[in-house]
Amino acid sequence: MTAERVHAPFGRRAATVLAREQHGAYVVVRCEDPAGPRPQAGQFYMLSAAERWGGGEDERPFLPRAFSVLRAPAAGRELHFLIEDVGPGTRRLCELAPGDQLQLVGPLGIGWAPPRRDRTPVLVGGGVGIAPLAILQDQLDKPHTTLLGFRDGAHAAGAALLRNARVATDDGSTGHSGLVTELLRETLREDSQVEVYACGPPAMLEAVRSLCERTGTPGQLALESGMACGFGACFGCVVATREGYVRLCVDGPVLDAARLSTALTPGAGH
Amino acid sequence: MTAERVHAPFGRRAATVLAREQHGAYVVVRCEDPAGPRPQAGQFYMLSAAERWGGGEDERPFLPRAFSVLRAPAAGRELHFLIEDVGPGTRRLCELAPGDQLQLVGPLGIGWAPPRRDRTPVLVGGGVGIAPLAILQDQLDKPHTTLLGFRDGAHAAGAALLRNARVATDDGSTGHSGLVTELLRETLREDSQVEVYACGPPAMLEAVRSLCERTGTPGQLALESGMACGFGACFGCVVATREGYVRLCVDGPVLDAARLSTALTPGAGH
Amino acid sequence: MSLTFCGIELRHPIINASGTFDAIAAQRAFGEQLTEHFPFSAFVSKTVTLEPRQGNPPPRLWELPGGLLNSIGLPNKGLAGYLREDLPKLAQLPVPLIVNVMGFSSEQVAELVQAFAPRDEVAALELNVSCPNVETGLIMGADPQELSRLLERVRPLTEKPLIVKLTPNVSDVAAVARAARDAGASALSLINTLRGMALDPDSGEPWLGGTTGGASGPAVRAIALAQVHAVREAVELPIIGMGGVQRGRHAADLIRAGADLVAVGTESFRDPAAGSRVAAELDRGLAPVRNWG
Amino acid sequence: MSLTFCGIELRHPIINASGTFDAIAAQRAFGEQLTEHFPFSAFVSKTVTLEPRQGNPPPRLWELPGGLLNSIGLPNKGLAGYLREDLPKLAQLPVPLIVNVMGFSSEQVAELVQAFAPRDEVAALELNVSCPNVETGLIMGADPQELSRLLERVRPLTEKPLIVKLTPNVSDVAAVARAARDAGASALSLINTLRGMALDPDSGEPWLGGTTGGASGPAVRAIALAQVHAVREAVELPIIGMGGVQRGRHAADLIRAGADLVAVGTESFRDPAAGSRVAAELDRGLAPVRNWG
Ligand SMILES: Cc1cc2nc3c(=O)[nH]c(=O)nc-3n(C[C@H](O)[C@H](O)[C@H](O)COP(=O)(O)OP(=O)(O)OC[C@H]3O[C@@H](n4cnc5c(N)ncnc54)[C@H](O)[C@@H]3O)c2cc1C
Ligand SMILES: Cc1cc2nc3c(=O)[nH]c(=O)nc-3n(C[C@H](O)[C@H](O)[C@H](O)COP(=O)(O)OP(=O)(O)OC[C@H]3O[C@@H](n4cnc5c(N)ncnc54)[C@H](O)[C@@H]3O)c2cc1C
Ligand SMILES: Cc1cc2nc3c(=O)[nH]c(=O)nc-3n(C[C@H](O)[C@H](O)[C@H](O)COP(=O)(O)O)c2cc1C
Ligand SMILES: Cc1cc2nc3c(=O)[nH]c(=O)nc-3n(C[C@H](O)[C@H](O)[C@H](O)COP(=O)(O)O)c2cc1C
Ligand code: FES
Ligand code: FES
């Protein structure tokens, strides 16, 4: 598993959409990125549609949008993204059809740190936050546990994108009825020699963070915040850490849980 | 032939695209307008795409765009528009596919006055300006002459939308090699009892106007100017007449040639 | 959902922005339907000046990203023409009439105010102060003292509500608002358009016949919101907020920031019935907070 | 295509707008390629203040129709931190360095100017005067007299070019420009962001941690063009024009309106290499007129 930030080629480049697959409430967009390197798991890309990026709700989108890479098969040049339609930018991306062009910048940010030798990785994902866990699974070469939480059955369809996942749904339609963090609590109770890799909505990440803190479990959290640029230019994406504000796009999006006193980042979206 | 301005239903309404046909350099968009009346020949509509109207060149379009109605078959609810891709608004409209939604306001403005009893109508069209002549042909119930001018063969393909047209092309690829106004001059020489219905680029309209003036021939000119609203709200679309500025959208777009001392309207586009 | 603004009873909080809806022309385009479905709860006329004006040479319009730059130049029939031809027609509208006036000196404004003062058809006057005073060279609405002097001259001339329409091209809109309040303004309206310019892509010369123009529409919405907020922090006068309103939520935002009424301008160009749509969306509670009624 | 600006030799007329490109962070993201393809002909630092600042609480960004509203709050390491950590790295860039500074009093600005005056790594200073003077409460760049006093204090402290970055939130930008010229500014840059605001769609409270923010991007381009034009009519100083530049034609428009250099800001967020793209488009003659070189 790559331990280091992979540099992005400088500038924005075009990538052709190869496929658009619906997975319940999510869309997977696969594209071909001939000019880019293979990303580190947990890194992200800034995406926009090459055509008609704008003219949606409130005359938006205008800026590119950040997306974790879902998968980047080592062979070939494909990049996969998992997208949930939550506003004008994601809506436009969800509409892309094979042959359409994306504009992308990336891979950006610092992804997951490789697992510690003496601990079992537990991957915890919530909603569209499962994306960076799929590529993590692909690159992890040791046994691990995967716990995924979703709102309902339509969203739980996303679980099929990962291997051997235990699923929880808020409405009980699939798997455990309740929060994924309940599954995590159970796992931590059974095995204290684990470490956590988590990505999901702020409330879930905060629950994970506080569980890690209370149990002394090492954890890495992939956070979200509103981003304009993705490469440290705008200073817009800061989250508060114990050392002060850090730019999530260059110092994250994966942060060591111990650096945070809360994962409840304002304006993160959802 | 309807002699009077047809009122538009108040407000903007949706119309479904039924077909998109390519005619050389032009696109014909047919839509179904169940809520609207049959327009007068020479009236126009303000059109926009219901989805993604924006995000093109320079983050435009934003305002709706004016289009003469090309055809409005008396039976049924269809409206046809002839569109030339010259910028972000027309580009978006040219992309519309069957099933897509248009937003429209119209019919607007004052169209062609019915022919005088004692004169033979001569229809003179240039480029995309042939559009309001097609519906005029449909509604004229007396013999008439149709003269159309185009840049080149790709544009001359538009001539097939009208009946019995003599065609001129700038590059000589189809029909008379030269300007359509040369054909008009010829016609005026052969028959002094004609009246002119003309629509086309400013330079063509100005040549027509000055021919009409010099030969004492009655003429109606369908002009263009940049429009924001189409219903007299913005005062943006004025053209200079002998009586001062008039709003083309409520006092035109068809103006009696005698009212103008020039048809060269600044900012008309093309 | 009815409310009172400066003593005027209104069906809902959405009116038109001056110069963005011509009810007489709209009647020509839409016929009787316009009166049946009149989109605004009051009608604000386009700016009336003392003398007739033909307005600026075309082109007068330039499309912006999410907005419009216009250089219309206040064409109008002049006071006499307005009183003779337009006022009788506008008095027939199913809603109260607010007349927007502008003068190039305080005497001119005084003359306009005096002319409308005795007219029962007129519910209120809106003073467009975004033009230079020919005597001082200063934009009347950009300088607190200049505006005070103007209002002191015209305030005594009428009992009607005087709405002062502020220009956004200022460094401190709150200071201007305070001056207007102190000199007797009944209400404030903002924002007028922001000064802008465009060049002809072919010639590189100014595109607009009037060289510069005013920007409006969604592109200026955030600026409008900030200015309404700043004025609300400064004064307690009723406020008509405007600038880029397209949907109920935008109106709700302006109300939340301090507006009592909201005017729809450029959006009417895209949708002639935008006023009713915005009012309905607002009423359906797209508004997180409803502080009217 | 090379040119000279205030005695500084530049490869092309496109530089970055302060605070919209962090060359050090970009090196972390893009590695060595950044230096190989550095997009700007000079690098302008983000605003440096005397003391370190952590900036405003998030959220700091709100997307506008064709633009961005930001409330970053000028986070920076402070003068000492900048000199120690950033300046040595920025001195390695392949282009001249312009340092943008801001103080909350003329004494603070003086201290900053004095600190950079002897630094050979620094080609010029840009003064960000869009903040209030804590002593007078006035925005330094919004009032001609305030600005004169500031420049009279700091102009003698350095031989380096002093570029004054004007705020667009004024009624008469030309008057401010004349004051800057008379007090010894070497060049002017404009526009900074326009004051704006957004509300949280869920809570109705101000979205930005800093309550209000500054609008930039295509939405403000027409306003930038009008202000550059107005300043060029008023003064002959070199001008750095900026505001919403996305393409060569937009840069050409600003140059046509009077700018000598053009800065790219928000567009770099959409395309990190926007600077080179704009420079190339400009050079390929999308420009109707090229009055540099
Ligand atoms: C590092 C990172 C990785 C991510 N990975 C993924 C991923 O793999 N898959 C995925 O689907 N998403 C991912 N996201 C989230 C994704 O970037 C957002 O969902 C997307 O930006 C939303 O854009 P939108 O236009 O669809 O919605 P927006 O309208 O931008 O809405 C999103 C939220 O922003 C706020 N908002 C509303 N209007 C505005 C406005 N005008 N300006 C600013 N904020 C506004 C609201 O809180 C809203 O809920 C990731 C984000 C980050 C930072
Ligand atoms: C009554 C009437 C009837 C019409 N009928 C037809 C018809 O039947 N078929 C048809 O194809 N067209 C018709 N037109 C013309 C059509 O409305 C225009 O071609 C269309 O508005 C162009 O929009 P656009 O976005 O594609 O191009 P734009 O980019 O708007 O370009 C059109 C022209 O506008 C200028 N321009 C460039 N940028 C801007 C800007 N930002 N703001 C303002 N102007 C700019 C330039 O001169 C350019 O050449 C008609 C116009 C009128 C007034
Ligand atoms: C085409 C046009 C014409 C206008 N004419 C006037 C006018 O005559 N008097 C006036 O006070 N404001 C005028 N305005 C300003 C509007 O009333 C309003 O203040 C501004 O457009 C902001 O609102 P909006 O963004 O909703 O359009 C005009 C605006 C436009 C776009
Ligand atoms: C996120 C952001 C941060 C900015 N920070 C600064 C700054 O620190 N100092 C400064 O003088 N201007 C700052 N600006 C203003 C820009 O330098 C520029 O004046 C403005 O954005 C207009 O240009 P644009 O439309 O190309 O972005 C900032 C702008 C943005 C968008
Ligand atoms: S998104 Fe711009 S600094 Fe992080
Ligand atoms: S297009 Fe608005 S008045 Fe004619």
Side-chain angles (χ1 to χ4, degrees):
Chain A
M1 183 177 163
T2 328
E4 299 222 337
R5 174 206 295 270
V6 176
H7 285 150
F10 182 56
R12 176 174 75 173
R13 61 191 185 275
T16 306
V17 174
L18 300 172
R20 175 203 182 280
E21 298 157 8
Q22 190 84 39
H23 291 262
Y26 304 106
V27 169
V28 171
V29 171
R30 300 183 178 212
C31 67
E32 175 139 276
D33 175 30
R38 298 288 81 196
Q40 179 198 13
Q43 283 190 304
F44 69 98
Y45 290 73
M46 297 301 285
L47 302 187
S48 51
E51 299 278 325
R52 286 184 263 104
W53 189 246
E57 191 194 321
D58 281 346
E59 313 304 326
R60 297 190 300 133
F62 166 65
L63 297 160
R65 299 295 193 257
F67 295 89
S68 302
V69 60
L70 169 73
R71 233 167 216 130
R77 293 290 171 192
E78 284 192 23
L79 296 175
H80 303 184
F81 298 99
L82 182 69
I83 307 179
E84 182 177 12
D85 173 353
V86 299
T90 49
R91 183 152 321 143
R92 177 72 186 103
L93 293 170
C94 282
E95 282 170 10
L96 289 172
D100 288 349
Q101 298 274 106
L102 277 173
Q103 297 275 15
L104 56 80
V105 178
L108 295 165
I110 304 175
W112 307 111
R116 290 166 164 78
R117 212 169 331 138
D118 53 347
R119 294 197 174 244
T120 308
V122 181
L123 284 50
V124 186
V128 78
I130 64 173
L133 301 179
I135 183 171
L136 178 62
Q137 274 196 337
D138 290 349
Q139 298 191 4
L140 270 182
D141 43 16
K142 64 189 283 188
H144 56 270
T145 305
T146 304
L147 311 173
L148 306 179
F150 299 95
R151 218 167 310 165
D152 53 29
H155 289 81
L161 292 162
L162 279 86
R163 282 178 294 275
N164 307 320
R166 277 193 68 194
V167 171
T169 51
D170 297 356
D171 67 356
S173 54
T174 315
H176 170 76
S177 175
L179 301 174
V180 66
T181 43
E182 293 161 13
L183 300 181
L184 175 62
R185 194 173 297 123
E186 212 177 276
T187 308
L188 289 174
R189 230 181 279 126
E190 286 162 12
D191 181 357
S192 62
Q193 283 309 91
V194 302
E195 60 175 328
V196 176
Y197 291 80
C199 183
M204 181 204 103
L205 288 182
E206 174 53 14
V208 170
R209 189 203 61 76
S210 109
L211 271 176
C212 286
E213 187 175 53
R214 273 187 284 136
T215 57
T217 310
Q220 299 177 49
L221 309 180
L223 275 74
E224 276 191 24
S225 70
M227 292 188 175
C229 71
F231 62 99
C234 73
F235 283 78
C237 62
V238 293
V239 298
T241 69
R242 298 187 196 273
E243 320 107 68
Y245 293 135
V246 301
R247 282 170 289 179
L248 201 65
C249 68
V250 280
D251 295 318
V254 176
L255 295 180
D256 199 300
R259 293 175 70 184
L260 301 171
S261 55
T262 176
L264 293 172
T265 49
H270 38 102
Chain B
M1 186 177 160
T2 329
E4 297 222 338
R5 174 207 294 272
V6 175
H7 285 148
F10 183 56
R12 176 174 75 172
R13 60 191 185 275
T16 306
V17 174
L18 299 172
R20 176 203 182 278
E21 299 156 6
Q22 190 85 39
H23 290 262
Y26 303 106
V27 169
V28 171
V29 171
R30 299 182 179 213
C31 67
E32 176 140 274
D33 175 29
R38 299 288 82 194
Q40 179 199 12
Q43 282 191 303
F44 70 96
Y45 289 73
M46 297 300 287
L47 302 187
S48 52
E51 298 277 323
R52 287 183 265 101
W53 189 246
E57 190 193 322
D58 280 346
E59 313 304 323
R60 299 189 298 132
F62 166 65
L63 298 161
R65 299 295 195 258
F67 295 90
S68 302
V69 59
L70 169 71
R71 226 157 226 141
R77 295 291 172 192
E78 285 193 22
L79 295 175
H80 303 182
F81 297 99
L82 181 69
I83 307 180
E84 181 176 13
D85 173 354
V86 300
T90 48
R91 185 153 319 143
R92 176 73 184 103
L93 294 171
C94 283
E95 282 170 10
L96 289 172
D100 287 350
Q101 298 276 104
L102 276 174
Q103 298 275 15
L104 55 82
V105 178
L108 295 165
I110 304 175
W112 306 111
R116 290 165 165 79
R117 207 158 347 125
D118 54 344
R119 294 195 173 247
T120 307
V122 180
L123 283 51
V124 186
V128 79
I130 64 172
L133 301 178
I135 182 170
L136 178 61
Q137 275 195 335
D138 290 349
Q139 298 191 3
L140 271 182
D141 42 17
K142 64 189 283 187
H144 55 269
T145 304
T146 304
L147 311 174
L148 305 179
F150 298 95
R151 218 168 310 166
D152 53 30
H155 289 80
L161 292 161
L162 281 86
R163 282 179 294 276
N164 304 322
R166 278 192 68 193
V167 171
T169 50
D170 297 356
D171 68 356
S173 53
T174 314
H176 170 76
S177 176
L179 301 175
V180 65
T181 43
E182 292 161 12
L183 301 181
L184 174 62
R185 194 173 296 120
E186 211 176 274
T187 308
L188 290 175
R189 229 182 279 124
E190 287 162 10
D191 181 357
S192 62
Q193 282 310 90
V194 304
E195 62 175 326
V196 176
Y197 289 81
C199 184
M204 182 204 101
L205 288 182
E206 174 52 14
V208 170
R209 189 203 61 77
S210 107
L211 270 176
C212 287
E213 186 174 54
R214 274 187 283 135
T215 57
T217 310
Q220 298 178 50
L221 309 181
L223 276 75
E224 276 189 24
S225 71
M227 291 187 175
C229 71
F231 62 99
C234 73
F235 282 80
C237 61
V238 295
V239 298
T241 69
R242 297 188 198 272
E243 319 108 67
Y245 292 134
V246 301
R247 281 171 288 178
L248 201 64
C249 67
V250 279
D251 295 317
V254 176
L255 294 180
D256 199 299
R259 293 176 69 185
L260 301 171
S261 55
T262 176
L264 293 172
T265 51
H270 38 105
Chain C
M1 200 189 176
S2 89
L3 75 164
T4 306
F5 177 85
C6 291
I8 314 166
E9 195 85 28
L10 300 176
R11 271 188 302 119
H12 61 70
I14 306 299
I15 67 173
N16 68 299
S18 173
T20 65
F21 203 94
D22 179 341
I24 298 171
Q27 239 151 8
R28 292 177 63 200
F30 302 115
E32 276 316 301
Q33 277 199 38
L34 176 70
T35 343
E36 287 157 31
H37 304 285
F38 200 76
F40 307 109
S41 65
F43 180 71
V44 184
S45 76
K46 187 161 175 67
T47 297
V48 179
T49 54
L50 213 48
E51 300 301 325
R53 291 169 59 89
Q54 62 168 359
N56 289 334
R60 292 177 170 186
L61 303 171
W62 177 260
E63 188 178 57
L64 302 177
L68 172 65
L69 188 67
N70 84 79
S71 167
I72 306 296
L74 304 171
N76 77 98
K77 298 172 178 161
L79 177 61
Y82 183 83
L83 291 174
R84 193 176 54 239
E85 295 173 30
D86 292 355
L87 189 57
K89 291 183 194 155
L90 297 176
Q92 305 301 316
L93 291 177
V95 299
L97 176 64
I98 299 173
V99 178
N100 178 300
V101 299
M102 185 174 99
F104 298 93
S105 66
S106 38
E107 280 322 301
Q108 287 195 355
V109 180
E111 213 173 311
L112 287 156
V113 170
Q114 241 158 349
F116 287 106
R119 294 294 190 150
D120 287 341
E121 312 92 302
V122 177
L125 290 172
E126 183 174 56
L127 306 185
N128 179 348
V129 293
S130 296
C131 66
N133 183 333
V134 288
E135 288 151 8
T136 63
L138 294 174
I139 305 284
M140 297 188 186
D143 185 72
Q145 279 154 35
E146 188 77 24
L147 184 59
S148 298
R149 275 192 297 268
L150 171 69
L151 287 174
E152 277 152 20
R153 173 74 184 83
V154 305
R155 175 67 281 187
L157 303 177
T158 182
E159 313 247 280
K160 288 196 200 299
L162 280 184
I163 306 161
V164 176
K165 183 157 182 185
L166 304 175
T167 161
N169 302 298
V170 293
S171 44
D172 185 0
V173 73
V176 182
R178 275 188 295 263
R181 175 201 55 199
D182 294 343
S186 320
L188 302 172
S189 60
L190 70 162
I191 62 172
N192 211 319
T193 56
L194 281 142
R195 210 158 31 233
M197 191 177 179
L199 300 186
D200 187 327
D202 296 326
S203 71
E205 295 298 312
W207 170 264
L208 296 170
T211 307
T212 60
S216 65
V220 310
R221 192 192 308 132
I223 297 165
L225 201 64
Q227 295 209 356
V228 167
H229 176 77
V231 169
R232 174 49 75 227
E233 305 257 284
V235 303
E236 291 186 354
L237 290 183
I239 293 175
I240 307 175
M242 69 191 93
V245 172
Q246 300 181 285
R247 305 198 288 138
R249 190 168 56 67
H250 306 149
D253 281 0
L254 282 168
I255 290 169
R256 181 87 195 185
D260 298 272
L261 297 186
V262 170
V264 171
T266 304
E267 184 66 3
S268 291
F269 303 161
R270 296 175 14 123
D271 176 4
S276 327
R277 178 168 52 73
V278 170
E281 286 170 0
L282 191 61
D283 192 40
R284 279 205 307 275
L286 288 181
V289 161
R290 294 175 45 183
N291 63 1
W292 68 87
Chain D
M1 199 189 177
S2 90
L3 76 166
T4 306
F5 177 86
C6 291
I8 313 166
E9 195 85 31
L10 301 176
R11 271 188 301 118
H12 59 71
I14 307 299
I15 68 174
N16 67 300
S18 172
T20 64
F21 203 95
D22 178 340
I24 298 170
Q27 238 150 11
R28 290 176 63 200
F30 302 114
E32 276 316 302
Q33 276 199 37
L34 176 70
T35 343
E36 286 157 30
H37 304 285
F38 200 75
F40 308 109
S41 65
F43 179 72
V44 183
S45 76
K46 186 161 176 64
T47 295
V48 179
T49 54
L50 214 47
E51 299 303 323
R53 291 169 59 90
Q54 63 168 357
N56 289 335
R60 292 178 170 185
L61 303 172
W62 178 259
E63 189 177 56
L64 301 177
L68 173 65
L69 188 67
N70 83 78
S71 167
I72 306 296
L74 303 171
N76 76 98
K77 298 173 178 159
L79 176 61
Y82 183 85
L83 291 175
R84 194 179 51 242
E85 295 173 32
D86 292 355
L87 189 56
K89 290 183 194 153
L90 297 175
Q92 304 302 315
L93 291 178
V95 298
L97 175 64
I98 299 173
V99 178
N100 178 301
V101 299
M102 185 174 99
F104 297 93
S105 66
S106 40
E107 278 323 299
Q108 286 195 356
V109 181
E111 213 172 311
L112 286 156
V113 170
Q114 241 159 350
F116 287 106
R119 295 294 190 147
D120 288 341
E121 313 91 302
V122 178
L125 291 172
E126 183 174 54
L127 307 185
N128 178 348
V129 292
S130 297
C131 67
N133 183 332
V134 289
E135 289 153 8
T136 63
L138 296 173
I139 306 282
M140 296 188 184
D143 184 74
Q145 277 154 35
E146 188 76 27
L147 185 59
S148 295
R149 275 192 296 270
L150 171 69
L151 288 175
E152 277 153 19
R153 172 74 183 86
V154 305
R155 176 67 278 186
L157 303 177
T158 181
E159 313 246 283
K160 289 196 199 300
L162 280 184
I163 305 161
V164 177
K165 182 156 182 187
L166 303 175
T167 161
N169 302 298
V170 292
S171 44
D172 186 359
V173 72
V176 182
R178 277 188 293 264
R181 175 203 55 199
D182 293 346
S186 320
L188 302 172
S189 59
L190 71 161
I191 60 171
N192 211 318
T193 56
L194 281 141
R195 209 158 31 233
M197 190 176 180
L199 300 186
D200 187 327
D202 296 326
S203 70
E205 295 298 311
W207 171 265
L208 295 170
T211 307
T212 59
S216 65
V220 309
R221 191 191 309 133
I223 297 166
L225 203 62
Q227 295 210 356
V228 167
H229 177 77
V231 169
R232 174 49 76 226
E233 304 257 283
V235 304
E236 291 187 353
L237 290 182
I239 293 176
I240 306 175
M242 68 192 92
V245 171
Q246 300 181 287
R247 308 197 287 139
R249 191 169 54 68
H250 306 150
D253 281 0
L254 282 168
I255 290 169
R256 181 86 195 188
D260 298 273
L261 297 186
V262 170
V264 170
T266 304
E267 183 67 3
S268 291
F269 303 161
R270 295 173 17 121
D271 175 4
S276 326
R277 178 169 51 73
V278 171
E281 287 169 0
L282 192 60
D283 192 40
R284 276 206 307 277
L286 289 180
V289 161
R290 293 177 44 182
N291 64 1
W292 68 84

